Amino acid sequence: MILLTLISSKQKTLVNLSTMLYTAPNKLGTEIVFKDGGRVAVTEGAEEILKLERVWHGSCTNSTNSTNSTNIAEPKITTPITTNTKNISTKNISVGAVGGGLVLLINNMPIPVDPSTKPSLYQFSKTNEPLLNLLGYWMDLYEKQGGQLTMVSAVDLGTLSKVVRIGAIEKAMAIFDWLFTSDHYRAVYLRNKGMVNPAVVVSSKKLDANYALTQQQTLPALPKSVQKRSTAIPSFDAEGNIIGGNNG
């Protein structure tokens, strides 16, 4: 999948070149011809298309082969987004795909979507900027911890959809910040167990409870004046007199 600009609409669209036969120049760019007879006209030149295709195939080869959609892997170079809990506007683009497959463009990266995702959920998600931004916010934090998102699961997409529908975006962002950066025992436990998916931490059952944890303040250390006194066992000399320890 590579991101190209359609001549007809001037919109960025993901194009699957796995079944491409050849390219042919036209007045405004390049026409791509597929094995099934389909055609798509884009503004990019043939040389640029082939270069982008090689880059995309290279990233696919280096990705982790696993059935887990959010496996921890070596960090990769990505286009970061600005993370601001007051403003989550990003450059995510809602796109479809030419050549088959469900894909969302998150943080300028085409990410496959679980094929079992309901069509209605996918259609809602790919055109919902707040949802794409929220997913991009989580993905940015996840990748900074060394994670690599290889596929958006249907359950994660459904969970974020619910968060957006109920207007709990800022709560979810606060939870994501807490999850990946806090030294709270619960956040540390979730990170150590790899339980960092949106469906785990911002589901309907966990959203309010985890948000409450983000509001807890770390308790300060007790002042020395009220710290527990020493309870060392005293020592005695031959006459029975205390020569050490705490004499009360």
Side-chain angles (χ1 to χ4, degrees):
M1 293 279 186
I2 62 173
L3 193 63
L4 300 174
T5 306
L6 297 180
I7 291 177
S8 59
S9 64
K10 305 301 182 182
Q11 296 295 314
K12 291 286 187 179
T13 300
L14 289 169
V15 180
N16 186 347
L17 299 182
S18 61
T19 61
M20 180 181 71
L21 278 178
Y22 60 88
T23 62
N26 67 21
K27 293 181 179 180
L28 299 177
T30 304
E31 187 166 322
I32 303 171
V33 181
F34 299 94
K35 292 180 180 179
D36 62 0
R39 295 169 178 264
V40 60
V42 298
T43 60
E44 290 78 8
E47 184 176 345
E48 183 179 358
I49 292 171
L50 293 176
K51 180 179 178 181
L52 291 171
E53 184 186 22
R54 286 195 296 270
V55 172
W56 171 244
H57 280 304
S59 67
C60 292
T61 302
N62 294 329
S63 65
T64 302
N65 295 321
S66 172
T67 56
N68 188 334
S69 64
T70 52
N71 290 306
I72 298 296
E74 292 299 320
K76 64 178 182 177
I77 298 175
T78 62
T79 303
I81 62 172
T82 302
T83 55
N84 185 327
T85 56
K86 299 301 182 182
N87 184 348
I88 61 171
S89 177
T90 70
K91 295 181 180 180
N92 292 322
I93 305 172
S94 304
V95 297
V98 174
L102 303 181
V103 178
L104 293 176
L105 191 65
I106 309 298
N107 298 350
N108 294 326
M109 292 288 292
I111 306 296
V113 177
D114 183 351
S116 68
T117 302
K118 293 182 178 179
S120 59
L121 175 59
Y122 176 67
Q123 292 299 324
F124 172 81
S125 302
K126 75 174 187 177
T127 58
N128 192 301
E129 185 175 357
L131 188 154
L132 294 173
N133 289 339
L134 182 58
L135 179 54
Y137 189 83
W138 174 87
M139 179 177 163
D140 187 57
L141 292 169
Y142 180 67
E143 291 187 339
K144 286 178 180 178
Q145 293 290 325
Q148 183 177 17
L149 183 65
T150 58
M151 178 175 288
V152 181
S153 72
V155 67
D156 282 337
L157 202 57
T159 297
L160 294 178
S161 171
K162 179 66 176 296
V163 168
V164 171
R165 289 177 189 275
I166 66 175
I169 292 176
E170 289 195 2
K171 278 188 176 182
M173 293 176 69
I175 291 170
F176 294 157
D177 286 333
W178 166 84
L179 173 66
F180 288 107
T181 64
S182 174
D183 58 1
H184 187 280
Y185 77 92
R186 181 62 180 170
V188 172
Y189 173 84
L190 292 171
R191 289 199 300 271
N192 288 343
K193 293 294 184 179
M195 301 169 64
V196 296
N197 292 63
V200 175
V201 295
V202 296
S203 66
S204 297
K205 293 182 178 180
K206 296 294 184 180
L207 181 66
D208 289 336
N210 284 337
Y211 180 70
L213 294 179
T214 71
Q215 303 305 299
Q216 291 183 358
Q217 300 295 323
T218 303
L219 294 176
L222 292 173
K224 292 183 179 181
S225 61
V226 296
Q227 290 181 0
K228 188 175 182 180
R229 298 177 63 187
S230 173
T231 57
I233 299 175
S235 300
F236 300 88
D237 60 16
E239 302 297 326
N241 297 314
I242 295 177
I243 58 175
N246 187 353
N247 193 24

